[in-house]
Amino acid sequence: MKINLNYSPNFDPNKRKLNQIKFIIFHYTGMKIEKKAIEKLTNIKSKVSCHYLIKFNGDVVKLVPEPYISWHAGISGWSNYKNLNKNSLGIEISNPGHKHNYKNFSKKQIISLVKLSNYLIKKFKIKSNFILGHSDIAPDRKRDPGEKFPWKLLSKKKIGIWHNLNSKILAKERNNKTNYIDKKKFISNLYKIGYPVNKKLEKTKYKKFLIKAFQRRFRQELINGIIDKECLIISENLLKK
């Protein structure tokens, strides 16, 4: 796999130990023009970066070498980990995102993403349940890589987790109402899976963000922030992974 170099100044100068790297985090650039996205990721004033960028045409660009902490995750959490920059590798994929006519990722991008991810998984021994989207680790702030990101396809390549339920049978449970106990169980399941707890926001909008983040990842056909039977069943299946 050919990797082009275009180094960003936005990283911590001290190297980390390679065994600190536990996560791969996927993002979309969220900008209309790819060139502008690259400029932002390499501009010292922006204070954002990532380790790799996958362009529209599938080309892979390295912006920060893996031993260094790039600034891609922000305020975030998963399982017992907080502020995941120090424990993760960030991969940006060119896509205009939800604010700019969000579209499907290209076949060339996915081919490159599979190759790059498999290389990093093998090199750093990354666990499947630690391969995440930005919205997974920061559900109240982020929506990327979004519901058009091919998580199911990637899971078949052993990149990230997915449920093993029959989709046709599962779809029959969509929009079927849940009771109070079901809803409480679903949120508990999400925390057990790894989604971050935010007690300050929990009684307000956070749960809605949390549900939508789950749906963007595991129930991409309907993102409505409502806990139905389908969501509950998927969450229970994922806990067995």
Side-chain angles (χ1 to χ4, degrees):
M1 180 177 58
K2 183 182 177 183
I3 296 177
N4 303 298
L5 304 178
N6 187 358
Y7 288 134
S8 171
N10 302 330
F11 63 92
D12 291 1
N14 296 323
K15 284 186 178 181
R16 57 185 165 182
K17 293 179 181 178
L18 295 184
N19 63 6
Q20 282 183 266
I21 298 170
K22 306 288 186 184
F23 296 85
I24 295 174
I25 310 298
F26 297 130
H27 309 255
Y28 62 45
T29 53
M31 296 179 72
K32 289 181 182 179
I33 302 169
E34 183 173 82
K35 185 179 177 182
K36 295 289 185 183
I38 295 171
E39 286 175 3
K40 183 178 180 180
L41 290 166
T42 55
N43 186 331
I44 196 166
K45 291 180 181 178
S46 74
K47 297 183 179 179
V48 295
S49 61
C50 60
H51 292 91
Y52 292 94
L53 168 77
I54 299 177
K55 297 170 73 174
F56 288 125
N57 66 2
D59 286 355
V60 178
V61 182
K62 179 182 277 191
L63 290 97
V64 176
E66 295 110 341
Y68 296 94
I69 295 171
S70 74
W71 305 339
H72 66 97
I75 298 169
S76 53
W78 189 261
S79 190
N80 295 321
Y81 292 84
K82 305 293 181 187
N83 298 319
L84 295 184
N85 278 340
K86 62 182 178 292
N87 297 112
S88 64
L89 299 169
I91 300 176
E92 291 267 3
I93 304 114
S94 284
N95 190 298
H98 290 87
K99 292 182 180 179
H100 305 291
N101 193 27
Y102 182 43
K103 61 183 183 181
N104 290 325
F105 297 87
S106 72
K107 287 183 180 180
K108 288 182 178 179
Q109 284 180 315
I110 300 308
I111 289 168
S112 294
L113 183 61
V114 168
K115 288 180 181 177
L116 177 60
S117 298
N118 282 332
Y119 160 74
L120 295 173
I121 289 165
K122 187 175 181 181
K123 183 175 181 179
F124 297 103
K125 298 179 174 61
I126 308 289
K127 296 177 181 178
S128 291
N129 59 332
F130 279 10
I131 298 171
L132 306 164
H134 204 181
S135 60
D136 292 323
I137 63 172
D140 55 320
R141 298 189 305 111
K142 297 295 179 178
R143 291 185 284 175
D144 60 311
E147 61 275 9
K148 293 183 179 182
F149 192 72
W151 285 110
K152 184 177 180 179
L153 173 66
L154 292 178
S155 72
K156 292 177 181 177
K157 308 286 185 182
K158 298 184 178 180
I159 301 167
I161 62 170
W162 192 258
H163 61 79
N164 55 8
L165 299 163
N166 183 292
S167 57
K168 289 182 180 179
I169 295 172
L170 192 58
K172 292 177 182 178
E173 301 292 346
R174 191 171 301 161
N175 292 320
N176 286 350
K177 292 183 178 181
T178 50
N179 58 33
Y180 173 77
I181 294 171
D182 289 336
K183 289 179 172 67
K184 196 171 180 180
K185 186 177 182 182
F186 174 79
I187 296 297
S188 175
N189 288 348
L190 263 56
Y191 292 152
K192 288 175 184 177
I193 289 166
Y195 282 91
V197 178
N198 190 325
K199 290 182 178 178
K200 289 182 180 179
L201 294 176
E202 195 170 76
K203 292 181 180 179
T204 56
K205 295 179 180 179
Y206 183 70
K207 283 185 181 177
K208 196 89 168 178
F209 290 130
L210 193 63
I211 297 159
K212 285 187 174 182
F214 174 86
Q215 290 171 338
R216 283 197 174 91
R217 174 76 187 264
F218 297 109
R219 208 278 297 278
Q220 298 177 322
E221 298 84 1
L222 180 61
I223 318 299
N224 59 4
I226 296 170
I227 304 166
D228 59 20
K229 286 285 187 181
E230 183 182 25
C231 291
L232 178 62
I233 292 166
I234 292 170
S235 72
E236 289 174 341
N237 183 265
L238 290 169
L239 279 179
K240 299 172 185 176
K241 298 289 181 181

